[in-house]
Amino acid sequence: MAVAGKYDVAVIGGGHAGVEAALAAARLGCKVVMFSISLDAVGNLPCNPSIGGTAKGHLVREIDALGGEMGKVTDAVFIQSKMLNKGKGPAVHSLRAQVDRKKYHMEIKKRLEYQENLDVKQAEIVDILTENNAVYAVVTQTGMQYLAKTVIIATGTYLRGKILIGDYERESGPDGMFPAKQLSESLKRIGIKLLRFKTGTPARIHADSVDFSKMTEELGDEKIVPFSFETKEISENKASCWLTYTNSKTHQIIRDNLSRAPLYSGRVEGVGARYCPSIEDKIVRFEGKERHQIFIEPMGLDTKEMYAQGISTSLPEDVQIQMLRSIDGLENVEIMRTAYAIEYDCCDPTQLYGSLEFKNISGLFGAGQFNGTSGYEEAAAQGLIAGINAARKVQGKKSLILDRSQGYIGTLIDDLVTKGTNEPYRMMTSRSEYRLLLRQDNADERLTPIGYEIGLISEERYNRLLEKLSLTEKEIRRLNLVVASPDAANPILEKWRSSPIQTGIRLSELLKRPEITYEKTASLDPERPALPEDVCEQVEIKIKYKGYIDRQLAQVNQFKKLENKLLPIDLDYNSIHGLRIEARQKLNKIKPSSLGQASRISGVSPADISVLIVWLEANAK
Amino acid sequence: MDKTIAAISTPVGIGGIAVIRVSGEDAVAIADKVYRGKSRLKDVGSHTIHYGYIVDQNDEKIDEVLVSVMLAPKTFTRENVVEISTHGGIAVSRRVMDALIKAGARHAEPGEFTKRAFLNGRIDLSQAEAVIDIINSVSEPSRKNALSQLEGTLSGSINAVRERLVHLAAGMQVIIDYPDEDLEDVTLSDIENISSACLNDVNKLILTADSGRIIRNGIMTAIVGKPNVGKSSLLNALAMEDRSIVTDIAGTTRDVVEEYVNLGDVPLRLLDTAGIRETDDVVEKIGVEKSKRSIDLADLVIVVLDASSKPDESDREILRSTEGKKRLILLNKSDIGENDYSDYTKDEKIIKISAKTGEGLGALKAAIEDMYNLGRLSQSDTVIVTNMRHKSALLQAGQALERVIEAVRIGMPSDIASIDLNIAIDALGEITGATVSEDVVNEIFHSFCVGK
């Protein structure tokens, strides 16, 4: 077989996971090759034309804080931006941006092409070669062999992809791309257990066939917050989204045709996600609900194509047309791309360590939808971690594993490798135990020092962070000393409907009142220095929620106790007296790195953990 | 391997026999040293019973016994176990224990058999806790309660509260994770009302914990009174009532001898019983001095006065020194005297008894039950928290719920309130062994229609 190249890291797939993996590894000094079945599908957004959203927005900020690319590209090509949940506390503010899909792809492709140490190639990988349980090469469909010290699999929905539209089905990747048909067999040969998952995407429609006057316009924010902590200038909103609803007629059409939906005719073997149900799913499961929302979102500025969020379906095309045309504003709608469901192979992520390396094959990593997740952001986050860890493996460094208290990325990966998943996994704020600490506004504070240490964050950016933190701390200390008198404060308190004070009160105390902001107390504070906006934001959050933050920190300390009790990775749990059989099997399978991780494995009981504690103590002596 | 342990595993004195359990690798060998029968125990099959004698080191017979030999792993501890059934009585059981210890066994620590069963994977943590409760329980309601905890009634009540909170949390969080969906947000008053209702339930459970502790451990009781008022007759009367002085534990760190008696279903843990008997015999000793420590330790002080003699300075001193304690005043010998102590006791109720005839013991029992709310606990459907770990988890949950309510009242956003809500759910889950985030996520998908 012809050897076509020799690399430190080979990345299979050019989606959001593959892109972050390739860029990170190359930036860390590795020689990297990235393969994509089509270079026109690199960084594609085959589903919704938006980045971020609840919890996902947090992931993008964390990716950025560690030195990833997704946030920066989004800032460059967004067409509408919105901070979600602004009516709630800062922990759940989440950024979401509609992006120009084509420009996003082009921008990503350009950055890959400009990246030093990185070769980008159009090829389908059909085989991964291993020797002594270590990976050493990948093979393309044309028989070319690329030697690689590490390989990252980021195949998204391409792996034995099959699309379904009613009773029509064909082997296909997303957005009409070729599927990767052979790699699954190769993976099974080297002992990787595969799962079959399902997802779907709604129809794309022509804007000129939509009557927007019957819909509600959804605008972006007036003041736009960029995703990247590095973006200093951000452009304006350039497009709107539109809201309409299904109705009883729509629901009747769906019910009448349920037998023609592969999901209900039993032809879909893949497991779909609960949070991403098709419209037929919603109608069946929530029968009492009279209407469902549909958002019509632009696919870009240079196209009339629009995405109809809320009606992903596997119903036949004729039913799709009927169904859409029953909706207000879509009476004359023309479908440009039909909605489809897609089935694909992915791996059982419990086969991976927290580094995303396979336990049974040294040097082989998995990332993105291949690991059983759903969503661009989840994919990018894992790609970044896999890319970093592949590079660190090549360089003989210790893996980077973020824990649940450090970020949503850590929570995501810990969930995957510890509990596995039986449906495409989506990040949600509810999945984090330490939500108030893992805010999107402090992702830089949490992770940029790590990004700097790893080598993905520049000295300059790191120093800027240190400056921000020091200004914040200084201002908090100052506010602890500034006292407002009743005479000065009460008129202001009255204005904001806050109860008056009897004696002097520290500004830091006043700020703890939900209705009082940092800005509102400015007139009580003549000495206040002029501070950057992001510093003011941190000062306010850290003072206002101090009690809650402290309580979460105490929870984290508790969590760390078990997390810091490390278990040997090669421990044979069959040798530990007192563990139940089920626990032994699960522990041997997951090979947890710590007691904390062990405690999160389903099937491992508190009693088993007590046994492990006793064992650890006995063996420490 | 752990050392072989032995202990009297039936409450001493109750029933006709006492069982002494020996567990560990050398259980059979050790038992063989003190057992005399037809065959050596090392030669008999597992799970067999043998008749014979236990002897001391001089080969003198201590008692006629039945010995069960059970070999690992099919035993309570998964170790070799020998159980020796003797004819009851403290003295006999003690001598058998002594013999076993001289033969190489170690006295088991409280709960050590259960601990071994747990460590050897025979039972899980919650079962272990309940088993330990059964072992430690000193009275009938306590045994019933420990059994029902084993069967899960406590888990049932806690789960009911927890499920309401999980549903509330899911409602609050689904809005956060799906802000675009046209779902109705949980109103602040919903959060407050549901949290308050659950807090109420949690507090009710916490309230049972104190009674639970009493049911489990007995009420620490000091009987005080000047010499010859009839303290030891009272002691004997109580013991008669019970028909079984449960045990006398050589005072652990306190250096005070205790005895358990059950006044009906009310378990009393009588302090310094040795002292009481002594001081009644030796007239010159002043009971008050001797009882100081017992009074400090006691949960309940029973002051005994003598209806057959006039009140004097000693009585006054005793009443003064027990002021502020939970106390009951008994007027003993009311069958033979009618002296009036009401000037000394102000408005406090005096219970007239006669330790000799047993008259008034029923009223004493009723007064104690009343004092500790024990009456209502005897209803079998009431769940009682008897385990300290459970109580502390409930306290944590209660505090967290109070903070949820507080946060809502001062106008914090609902996601901030949900931090403490999750703490409460987690604390309750610690009792039943569930974790918060998974449950809330599952509830979200079960109850709400969300998605793209």
Side-chain angles (χ1 to χ4, degrees):
Chain A
M1 220 182 283
V3 171
K6 205 177 156 190
Y7 291 90
D8 293 324
V9 181
V11 181
I12 307 172
H16 304 284
V19 166
E20 295 289 352
L23 288 173
R27 286 166 182 168
L28 291 175
C30 287
K31 198 169 172 240
V32 181
V33 58
M34 188 194 92
F35 301 98
S36 177
I37 278 184
S38 167
L39 288 185
D40 293 327
V42 163
N44 186 27
L45 304 163
C47 198
N48 52 326
S50 69
I51 299 285
T54 51
K56 292 160 173 275
H58 288 69
L59 283 173
V60 180
R61 289 222 131 198
E62 290 183 2
I63 291 165
D64 183 70
L66 281 171
E69 207 60 25
M70 183 172 250
K72 288 178 195 147
V73 176
T74 305
D75 286 344
V77 302
F78 84 96
I79 55 181
Q80 189 203 65
S81 174
K82 202 170 174 177
M83 186 68 85
L84 304 172
N85 285 331
K86 272 198 296 194
K88 307 278 180 189
V92 296
H93 293 181
S94 278
L95 200 51
R96 184 186 61 204
Q98 303 299 135
V99 297
D100 188 310
R101 170 174 166 271
K102 212 72 210 169
K103 283 195 187 129
Y104 191 94
H105 152 71
M106 290 307 292
E107 191 63 35
I108 289 276
K109 186 159 176 274
K110 186 176 90 189
R111 292 181 189 212
L112 290 167
E113 290 162 356
Y114 279 62
Q115 179 61 48
E116 223 182 308
N117 298 332
L118 173 60
D119 292 336
V120 176
K121 296 184 186 296
Q122 178 162 305
E124 179 187 341
I125 299 301
V126 295
D127 206 0
I128 292 173
L129 305 180
T130 62
E131 196 171 42
N132 298 330
N133 296 324
V135 72
Y136 73 89
V138 296
V139 181
T140 68
Q141 83 277 23
T142 54
M144 301 299 279
Q145 197 181 103
Y146 289 86
L147 300 180
K149 292 174 188 161
T150 58
V151 172
I152 299 170
I153 308 172
T155 47
T157 59
Y158 282 74
L159 213 51
R160 273 206 324 127
K162 181 165 96 177
I163 66 161
L164 303 107
I165 304 168
D167 42 24
Y168 169 82
E169 62 176 61
R170 65 177 268 202
E171 292 175 339
S172 171
D175 255 341
M177 293 290 155
F178 293 117
K181 283 159 70 173
Q182 296 178 58
L183 190 59
S184 288
E185 280 311 311
S186 165
L187 294 174
K188 283 186 206 161
R189 270 199 303 277
I190 57 176
I192 292 173
K193 185 186 163 205
L194 295 178
L195 305 172
R196 193 131 177 101
F197 278 3
K198 182 217 92 169
T199 183
T201 191
R204 310 301 189 275
I205 56 179
H206 196 293
D208 288 352
S209 68
V210 177
D211 183 353
F212 293 110
S213 70
K214 292 184 175 170
M215 301 183 180
T216 316
E217 188 171 11
E218 298 276 315
L219 299 169
D221 286 343
E222 267 176 44
K223 190 168 159 288
I224 291 172
V225 180
F227 267 111
S228 174
F229 290 94
E230 279 194 287
T231 303
K232 291 299 152 211
E233 306 226 335
I234 189 97
S235 62
E236 291 172 354
N237 293 315
K238 301 170 195 77
S240 293
C241 297
W242 302 85
L243 171 63
T244 183
Y245 296 91
T246 61
N247 52 48
S248 56
K249 211 173 133 200
T250 321
H251 296 187
Q252 196 51 50
I253 293 166
I254 293 166
R255 270 195 292 272
D256 289 346
N257 290 282
L258 266 187
S259 61
R260 297 180 65 197
L263 197 69
Y264 285 91
S265 59
R267 279 198 303 114
V268 170
E269 48 169 320
V271 184
R274 287 172 298 176
Y275 50 80
C276 199
S278 59
I279 187 71
E280 52 268 29
D281 240 352
K282 294 190 200 177
I283 303 293
V284 171
R285 284 186 50 209
F286 298 94
E287 214 185 331
K289 203 158 171 179
E290 284 167 10
R291 60 178 199 177
H292 295 275
Q293 296 185 113
I294 298 178
F295 287 93
I296 308 295
E297 305 172 4
M299 297 283 286
L301 295 178
D302 302 322
T303 176
K304 291 278 189 184
E305 256 189 285
M306 297 195 89
Y307 173 90
Q309 196 240 84
I311 36 170
S312 116
T313 183
S314 65
L315 283 162
E317 197 165 352
D318 59 305
V319 184
Q320 290 188 27
I321 295 169
Q322 267 188 70
M323 175 178 88
L324 283 174
R325 290 189 177 160
S326 72
I327 293 166
D328 282 352
L330 298 180
E331 293 84 353
N332 301 304
V333 78
E334 285 301 331
I335 293 179
M336 293 180 72
R337 304 189 202 209
T338 315
Y340 62 86
I342 183 165
E343 273 187 4
Y344 55 96
D345 286 349
C346 58
C347 81
D348 172 355
T350 60
Q351 297 168 95
L352 304 165
Y353 289 121
S355 62
L356 297 181
E357 185 176 5
F358 276 90
K359 290 168 190 166
N360 62 342
I361 299 165
S362 173
L364 184 63
F365 293 77
Q369 214 143 350
F370 173 71
N371 286 353
T373 58
S374 161
Y376 314 139
E377 303 80 1
E378 288 86 343
Q382 294 169 71
L384 177 62
I385 298 297
I388 289 170
N389 283 330
R392 290 175 75 82
K393 173 134 190 148
V394 169
Q395 293 158 355
K397 293 175 181 161
K398 199 171 156 276
S399 304
L400 170 71
I401 299 176
L402 300 174
D403 73 35
R404 301 180 76 86
S405 70
Q406 287 174 300
Y408 279 80
I409 297 179
T411 309
L412 163 74
I413 294 176
D414 181 67
D415 275 347
L416 287 175
V417 304
T418 308
K419 294 179 185 149
T421 181
N422 49 20
E423 64 179 337
Y425 178 105
R426 178 208 202 261
M427 199 65 229
M428 297 164 70
T429 65
S430 327
R431 296 198 195 267
S432 168
E433 301 86 344
Y434 313 113
R435 208 161 63 186
L436 186 57
L437 301 178
L438 308 185
R439 305 185 307 273
Q440 55 93 32
D441 62 74
N442 71 353
D444 55 344
E445 181 179 347
R446 291 183 278 124
L447 298 174
T448 294
I450 296 172
Y452 172 69
E453 205 185 305
I454 285 169
L456 287 176
I457 295 287
S458 68
E459 182 90 38
E460 188 223 330
R461 182 171 169 184
Y462 179 57
N463 285 336
R464 247 188 293 129
L465 169 71
L466 294 183
E467 171 73 6
K468 174 183 167 186
L469 297 182
S470 117
L471 284 175
T472 305
E473 200 187 315
K474 221 166 110 189
E475 179 64 357
I476 291 173
R477 260 187 281 134
R478 198 186 64 80
L479 289 172
N480 278 330
L481 299 173
V482 179
V483 175
S485 68
D487 284 351
N490 283 341
I492 287 170
L493 292 177
E494 197 189 340
K495 183 177 165 198
W496 301 109
R497 294 185 186 176
S498 193
S499 50
I501 52 172
Q502 310 301 327
T503 57
I505 186 169
R506 280 196 282 261
L507 286 193
S508 55
E509 278 306 306
L510 267 189
L511 262 179
K512 288 191 175 144
R513 300 184 175 188
E515 63 278 11
I516 300 299
T517 60
Y518 182 63
E519 206 185 325
K520 287 172 186 168
T521 59
S523 63
L524 298 173
D525 189 10
E527 309 281 305
R528 180 171 296 186
L531 292 168
E533 214 171 314
D534 55 349
V535 172
C536 299
E537 184 188 25
Q538 289 308 305
V539 166
E540 175 160 337
I541 291 171
K542 286 183 175 182
I543 291 178
K544 190 174 288 305
Y545 301 104
K546 184 171 188 306
Y548 293 91
I549 290 173
D550 287 349
R551 210 145 51 241
Q552 290 240 295
L553 284 173
Q555 285 176 285
V556 168
N557 283 337
Q558 203 58 34
F559 156 80
K560 292 268 191 188
K561 274 186 199 158
L562 277 187
E563 220 60 19
N564 291 338
K565 287 212 166 72
L566 301 182
L567 290 164
I569 225 96
D570 52 358
L571 183 57
D572 176 12
Y573 290 91
N574 285 322
S575 71
I576 298 183
H577 196 54
L579 286 175
R580 291 167 317 117
I581 303 283
E582 187 195 2
R584 289 180 194 191
Q585 288 167 348
K586 291 277 173 63
L587 288 162
N588 275 332
K589 180 180 169 204
I590 304 292
K591 295 186 190 304
S593 59
S594 67
L595 266 184
Q597 195 190 350
S599 72
R600 292 188 293 274
I601 300 171
S602 66
V604 175
S605 71
D608 296 318
I609 294 303
S610 310
V611 170
L612 287 178
I613 290 173
V614 171
W615 183 89
L616 271 180
E617 275 170 13
N619 281 270
K621 281 169 196 162
Chain B
M1 195 63 207
D2 290 322
K3 216 180 156 185
T4 296
I5 53 173
I8 303 170
S9 50
T10 43
V12 181
I14 286 184
I17 58 164
V19 174
I20 293 146
R21 179 183 279 162
V22 190
S23 175
E25 191 153 24
D26 301 328
V28 178
I30 289 170
D32 255 339
K33 289 188 193 165
V34 299
Y35 169 79
R36 297 291 174 268
K38 257 191 193 161
S39 42
R40 303 291 304 274
L41 296 174
K42 72 175 167 59
D43 301 324
V44 306
S46 182
H47 294 78
T48 54
I49 297 177
H50 307 276
Y51 169 82
Y53 293 92
I54 298 294
V55 295
D56 65 16
Q57 73 260 43
N58 303 321
D59 233 25
E60 263 175 48
K61 284 178 189 171
I62 298 172
D63 198 13
E64 189 183 18
V65 294
L66 286 175
V67 175
S68 316
V69 175
M70 291 160 281
L71 301 179
K74 284 188 177 170
T75 67
F76 176 63
T77 55
R78 286 205 171 160
E79 299 172 333
N80 292 334
V81 170
V82 174
E83 285 182 356
I84 302 168
S85 305
T86 71
H87 285 102
I90 300 170
V92 167
S93 314
R94 281 259 167 92
R95 286 186 62 201
V96 173
M97 271 302 295
D98 285 346
L100 285 167
I101 284 160
K102 283 184 182 125
R106 172 169 68 69
H107 211 295
E109 290 157 20
E112 195 172 1
F113 290 108
T114 309
K115 187 175 152 199
R116 289 191 176 195
F118 162 66
L119 286 178
N120 292 334
R122 170 78 165 68
I123 55 174
D124 76 16
L125 186 61
S126 57
Q127 284 175 315
E129 281 171 344
V131 170
I132 286 171
D133 285 354
I134 288 182
I135 290 170
N136 289 349
S137 63
V138 297
S139 66
E140 195 48 35
S142 177
R143 269 192 291 277
K144 273 187 213 146
N145 183 57
L147 282 172
S148 75
Q149 188 169 317
L150 258 182
E151 287 157 10
T153 50
L154 176 67
S155 305
S157 315
I158 287 171
N159 276 336
V161 176
R162 192 169 176 278
E163 268 163 33
R164 276 188 89 180
L165 294 175
V166 166
H167 187 76
L168 174 65
M172 289 158 73
Q173 289 179 20
V174 71
I175 300 291
I176 288 163
D177 276 316
Y178 295 91
D180 284 340
E181 299 282 344
D182 55 344
L183 298 163
E184 256 178 61
D185 202 350
V186 180
T187 63
L188 293 178
S189 68
D190 279 348
I191 301 173
E192 194 177 332
N193 292 339
I194 295 170
S195 302
S196 299
C198 290
L199 175 61
N200 201 19
D201 290 346
V202 165
N203 282 339
K204 274 190 202 151
L205 284 171
I206 292 172
L207 277 182
T208 70
D210 290 330
S211 310
R213 181 177 60 81
I214 281 161
I215 290 196
R216 203 163 68 135
N217 298 336
I219 302 168
M220 296 263 264
T221 309
I223 298 177
V224 299
K226 65 185 181 187
N228 286 322
V229 291
K231 295 196 293 293
S232 67
S233 327
L234 174 64
L235 205 59
N236 292 337
L238 288 173
M240 280 298 286
E241 183 78 3
D242 188 12
R243 300 192 134 263
S244 58
I245 291 175
V246 177
T247 178
D248 58 342
I249 306 166
T252 47
T253 53
R254 283 186 226 96
D255 192 30
V256 172
V257 177
E258 299 172 6
E259 280 178 42
Y260 279 116
V261 300
N262 285 341
L263 186 54
D265 282 346
V266 180
L268 298 181
R269 190 167 170 183
L270 300 174
L271 295 165
D272 193 25
T273 47
I276 290 170
R277 295 201 165 99
E278 250 171 64
T279 51
D280 261 16
D281 293 342
V282 187
V283 179
E284 59 265 31
K285 284 194 179 163
I286 298 170
V288 179
E289 280 300 314
K290 184 81 180 174
S291 312
K292 267 264 156 64
R293 276 195 72 200
S294 308
I295 292 170
D296 287 344
L297 285 171
D299 225 5
L300 170 68
V301 179
I302 295 178
V303 179
V304 186
L305 305 172
D306 183 354
S308 68
S309 68
K310 294 237 179 276
D312 64 14
E313 191 46 41
S314 296
D315 293 313
R316 195 191 290 277
E317 172 59 30
I318 287 165
L319 285 165
R320 202 179 296 133
S321 67
T322 56
E323 240 165 47
K325 292 291 284 191
K326 217 173 228 184
R327 72 177 178 189
L328 287 170
I329 300 170
L330 303 190
L331 190 54
N332 193 22
K333 305 186 193 175
S334 49
D335 52 332
I336 53 169
E338 281 185 1
N339 283 293
D340 186 12
Y341 282 78
S342 55
D343 286 351
Y344 287 61
T345 57
K346 291 166 197 157
D347 311 331
E348 248 169 294
K349 197 185 157 195
I350 297 177
I351 302 167
K352 288 186 177 173
I353 65 159
S354 165
K356 217 163 119 197
T357 65
E359 186 202 321
L361 287 180
L364 172 62
K365 178 186 170 218
I368 297 175
E369 279 182 342
D370 215 34
M371 203 167 222
Y372 289 92
N373 277 330
L374 293 178
R376 105 192 125 77
L377 292 180
S378 58
Q379 299 157 5
S380 58
D381 58 335
T382 313
V383 179
I384 303 167
V385 178
T386 56
N387 179 296
M388 290 319 285
R389 188 177 71 87
H390 296 169
K391 185 188 174 189
S392 103
L394 284 166
L395 281 173
Q396 256 187 51
Q399 285 162 1
L401 287 174
E402 277 167 17
R403 290 194 301 262
V404 171
I405 296 162
E406 170 70 10
V408 170
R409 284 190 185 145
I410 65 170
M412 282 286 175
S414 65
D415 63 291
I416 292 289
S418 76
I419 290 173
D420 283 311
L421 186 57
N422 285 343
I423 291 178
I425 293 170
D426 252 348
L428 295 177
E430 258 176 46
I431 299 172
T432 57
T435 53
V436 59
S437 61
E438 267 173 286
D439 287 2
V440 173
V441 169
N442 287 334
E443 178 67 20
I444 286 176
F445 295 128
H446 179 75
S447 306
F448 301 95
C449 179
V450 290
K452 71 180 168 185

